Amino acid sequence: DFSRQIRNKELRNSFQAKLQERAKLMEGRPAPDIPFKDIDGKEMRLSDFKGKVLYVDFWATWCGPCLAAMPHMEQLHQAFKNNPHMQVIGVNVMDRKSPESLKEFLRNRPSPLTYAMAVDVDGKKTRDKWLSPMGVNGIPHAFAVKNGKLIWRGHPGKLSEEMMRAMLKPDFSAASLPG
């Protein structure tokens, strides 16, 4: 155990705490069930999508790469929108926007987005429960959750229809993902 080699007790304890926090959000571990508000202001939780493979894309209005990834997420949503076992959801983070102002922003997009949208109003839940524990310092960042467990994470642009089909299989394993 590397942490035993750290002589400074305070530094060792801090290092061990960080390791434990990161281990909570590894693939195969339970995903945090944090609340969000949809763009109509209705409270929602990730557990509301129980029984589905849930793709959560964290993004912000000021983030150019986030906005560039949105048409790709829309394309994936369109490919699977009739599948009752799959859900794509975009979660606006780090903006501190109200659901109303987010709705206005989305209405003014050059092409419509029809997948579900939510907002983390204070921005802390997402950062503290999802992004920081995984060592994610930037967005966009997407996660796939199945049966309440994290099964994939990465840039939303790396998510493909082929990967999504693989994740729907009952015997899915992250090791079986293409490419």
Side-chain angles (χ1 to χ4, degrees):
D1 181 8
F2 173 76
S3 63
R4 291 182 188 169
Q5 296 177 20
I6 302 172
R7 294 187 204 287
N8 180 305
K9 186 177 180 181
E10 190 176 311
L11 186 59
R12 181 177 54 244
N13 290 344
S14 174
F15 178 76
Q16 288 173 331
K18 285 273 188 208
L19 283 178
Q20 289 173 349
E21 190 64 30
R22 284 218 175 146
K24 289 179 188 175
L25 265 184
M26 292 174 61
E27 281 132 356
R29 302 292 292 237
D33 188 27
I34 55 179
F36 300 103
K37 289 190 180 204
D38 71 11
I39 59 173
D40 293 319
K42 181 181 157 211
E43 188 90 5
M44 61 190 292
R45 304 183 72 84
L46 296 182
S47 59
D48 294 342
F49 300 94
K50 194 173 187 172
K52 296 183 178 200
V53 178
L54 179 63
Y55 300 94
V56 184
D57 173 30
F58 293 114
W59 66 279
T61 59
W62 47 263
C63 170
C66 298
L67 302 179
M70 289 175 134
H72 176 68
M73 293 304 288
E74 177 64 22
Q75 179 184 352
L76 295 173
H77 166 69
Q78 288 299 322
F80 292 94
K81 70 181 179 184
N82 295 322
N83 187 319
H85 304 291
M86 188 172 295
Q87 177 71 48
V88 175
I89 182 169
V91 179
N92 176 262
V93 297
M94 300 179 201
D95 269 335
R96 293 192 177 97
K97 287 196 178 294
S98 68
E100 298 79 32
S101 62
L102 180 60
K103 193 187 263 188
E104 182 65 25
F105 174 82
L106 292 169
R107 194 176 5 256
N108 292 321
R109 295 274 308 147
S111 56
L113 299 171
T114 62
Y115 57 97
M117 287 289 176
V119 59
D120 180 3
V121 178
D122 70 9
K124 292 181 182 175
K125 294 177 197 119
T126 301
R127 188 177 58 242
D128 295 347
K129 300 289 183 186
W130 281 89
L131 301 173
S132 292
M134 295 202 70
V136 175
N137 295 317
I139 51 175
H141 203 83
F143 297 88
V145 177
K146 182 177 185 177
N147 299 324
K149 295 188 176 169
L150 183 67
I151 59 170
W152 177 86
R153 60 174 273 211
H155 189 283
K158 293 187 180 210
L159 192 56
S160 69
E161 288 183 36
E162 184 181 9
M163 289 171 68
M164 291 172 79
R165 273 192 290 282
M167 291 178 198
L168 281 168
K169 294 179 181 174
D171 61 344
F172 170 77
S173 158
S176 69
L177 282 177

